[in-house]
Amino acid sequence: MGKTMAEKILSAHSGKDLYAGDIAVVNVDLSYVQDGTGPLAVRQMIEMGLEKAHNPDHSIFFLDHASPSPRKELSNDHKLLREFAQKTGIHLSEIGNGISHHIVLEKYAKPGDLIVGADSHTCTGGAIGAFATGMGSTDVGVAIALGKTWMRVPETYKIVVNGELKKGVYSKDIILHLIGMISSSGATYKALEFHGDVIEKLTVDARSTIANMSVEAGAKTGIFPPDEKTKEFLKTWGREADFKELFPDEDAVYEKTIEIDGTKLKPTIACPHLVHNTKTIDEIGDVPIHQVFLGTSCNGRLEDLRIAASILKGKKINKKTRMIVTPSSRSNYLNAMKEGLLEIFVEAGAVVTGPGCGACVGVHEGILADGENCLATQPRNFKGRMGNPNAFIYLGSPAVAAATAIEGKIADPRNFL
Amino acid sequence: MNIIEGRCWKFGDDISTDLIAPGRLFHLRSNLPELAKHLLEDAKPGFYEKISEGDIIVAGINFGQGSSREHAPTIIKMAGISAVVAKSFARIFYRNCINVGLPAVMVDTDKINEGDILRIDIAKGILEDVSSGEKFSFSPLPETMMKILAEGGLVAYIKKNGDLIL
């Protein structure tokens, strides 16, 4: 019987012939935690008597959520992670290096890898053809210490996007449309496998937005078969040798196939307080926006910054709004600086912060006031997400973010292209 | 642990981890007893103060969607809640519940009302609404998860076995 991508990767990591529904112990290639989940992972590892890393070079502590730390309690959490990393040889990614998932894509993830992270958006790794999934602190603590975890092999939904994206429509619109179609729990526990001629044309940067938000449909992972675009991405990061061919079998069994006509997609917005509350830009009406936030684990990559900068170049941000730009990694920050993108943002009136998760996590750098509306490129808009349960978060693409910053209300990027 | 009895607190659909353990209280993640005092306060103001030991959280679909933060089920348990019952759970939250030793039961919760007394037999897979007399059956957990839950969570399981064995 043929296998899906998920079945192939999990089989290869267990030494067994696995299919959807099977449960097995699997060896992991990379395990990581961040500063929100890491301290609990460390305490659980100590409690279990597992104060070690199975493979320190493939275990990472990322300081990305409170970066730099805004409070002494979080500084103490950082200290705990730094000291444990030093003792065990686990890699530590310091404040300012950026968001775990982007650094993992740039430096660590390979097609066919099995990656577990104590962060729900670990599934971003699927952009490169890895089976990457988010788990809790104790699960990842065990994976770091023992180099393995247990998993049930998920059933797979095949998502096929054919046609051609119109001007002003991006990968963010594809994933928002999909979640709007199937709901925030429409793919609970499933693996999403992406195919189709629209998908084939997307860069790994663009794919990472879709992989990242697969969890917002409830999925365990969102995975893209590695191809020429994957090869291109690895070459950019000097890792051509890490490329590996991997594709699902012709006769793989999918639980469901969902087809999307890419030609019909429009810029799409998720309205408060759920990601599946989507509307097209034509349906959204007049929504004043007090804060625009460009960045985070799904849309802080160089390609995203380029799209927004191309719209903002030579323009000013509307007086009724403010804009925060947070590149996702040090490399994206540096490259955006070299290309003059940061200059465009600052001249337009935006605040550019250091790399990291930024305002998305409600810890610092952009907490909303009561009653305010925010248009963010982040993956989720739950009540309270940006630090205030009395505020309202709308989600859109980097192009929507830039257009919105100019108009001071949710705006159609197609008018600026 | 096999029989759980408690009073129901009812919540709606799509309750996120941001509602269970708010991100704005990120700095309390290394102070869980303090974080527990804010449990679900943005969904039901003053909730922590109203809980009695053994109470049960009952919700609609997709309970626990969002973050991987294990702090969410941990503070539910710490606050004295004996089980969570929902129509469906988000994947990471569900696994975290079992890992921290918090029973998570999936049944249709439409007919269960706030304040009802519930009795849950985990091993037999039966939830009885003592107040209404209605009984609901649920599928037992996969063996792997049942073993972890029976030990009181993954930490205790690993301490006992010294390894991850199925």
Side-chain angles (χ1 to χ4, degrees), chain A residues 2-3 129 131 286 351 367 372:
Chain A
K3 285 182 178 159
F131 185 101
D286 224 20
V351 177
I367 292 167
E372 281 192 331

Side-chain angles (χ1 to χ4, degrees), chain B:
Chain B
M1 188 211 69
N2 270 342
I3 307 282
I4 294 162
E5 195 168 302
R7 182 177 48 150
C8 158
W9 289 101
K10 195 93 189 267
F11 292 84
D13 291 341
D14 296 304
I15 297 290
S16 73
T17 52
D18 278 303
L19 288 174
I20 300 169
R24 66 189 152 78
L25 302 167
F26 200 91
H27 59 286
L28 293 179
R29 289 190 187 182
S30 286
N31 185 357
L32 292 170
E34 200 53 44
L35 187 60
K37 292 180 185 168
H38 300 274
L39 177 68
L40 282 158
E41 71 182 8
D42 293 336
K44 209 184 270 291
F47 180 54
Y48 178 81
E49 301 301 325
K50 296 173 187 163
I51 302 168
S52 300
E53 188 71 26
D55 283 358
I56 295 169
I57 286 175
V58 177
I61 58 167
N62 204 23
F63 188 75
Q65 72 164 332
S67 166
S68 70
R69 64 188 77 151
E70 196 174 299
H71 315 74
T74 303
I75 63 169
I76 290 176
K77 195 179 173 192
M78 197 171 265
I81 299 291
S82 60
V84 281
V85 177
K87 284 186 192 171
S88 66
F89 290 93
R91 174 186 58 84
I92 305 176
F93 180 86
Y94 186 64
R95 181 160 166 150
N96 280 343
C97 281
I98 306 308
N99 283 345
V100 305
L102 175 69
V105 168
M106 260 184 280
V107 297
D108 186 347
T109 54
D110 277 348
K111 290 183 183 165
I112 302 174
N113 297 311
E114 181 146 304
D116 285 0
I117 301 298
L118 308 179
R119 187 182 295 134
I120 307 170
D121 187 328
I122 297 286
K124 287 189 183 153
I126 296 169
L127 184 152
E128 185 187 354
D129 186 328
V130 179
S131 305
S132 70
E134 192 114 21
K135 281 188 182 178
F136 308 87
S137 60
F138 56 91
S139 313
L141 286 168
E143 201 188 332
T144 309
M145 295 182 103
M146 202 57 158
K147 278 189 207 165
I148 293 169
L149 185 62
E151 292 299 336
L154 188 59
V155 169
Y157 179 88
I158 295 278
K159 273 169 100 169
K160 185 179 176 186
N161 296 295
D163 196 2
L164 188 74
I165 41 166
L166 294 188

Side-chain angles (χ1 to χ4, degrees), chain A residues 122-176:
Chain A
T122 299
C123 46
T124 313
I128 208 167
F131 185 101
T133 193
M135 301 173 112
S137 297
T138 310
D139 269 323
V140 178
V142 168
I144 288 173
L146 302 177
K148 58 188 176 183
T149 186
W150 71 270
M151 276 197 197
R152 179 187 173 281
V153 183
E155 296 79 14
T156 298
Y157 287 178
K158 185 178 186 179
I159 313 293
V160 186
V161 191
N162 279 322
E164 200 171 349
L165 295 184
K166 295 253 170 66
K167 207 160 90 171
V169 179
Y170 302 91
S171 63
K172 183 74 160 198
D173 303 303
I174 298 175
I175 188 67
L176 285 175

Side-chain angles (χ1 to χ4, degrees), chain A residues 361-392:
Chain A
V361 284
V363 177
H364 63 160
E365 292 181 340
I367 292 167
L368 301 170
D370 291 339
E372 281 192 331
N373 293 333
C374 179
L375 185 288
T377 62
Q378 66 201 38
R380 53 177 63 129
N381 60 349
F382 304 149
K383 189 176 180 185
R385 179 72 190 171
M386 297 180 84
N388 188 343
N390 303 315
F392 304 88

Side-chain angles (χ1 to χ4, degrees), chain A residues 33-54:
Chain A
V33 298
Q34 30 87 342
D35 45 347
T37 56
L40 181 58
V42 165
R43 292 194 180 99
Q44 299 290 61
M45 287 169 80
I46 294 169
E47 176 67 25
M48 288 184 281
L50 297 172
E51 264 177 275
K52 57 172 183 171
H54 176 78

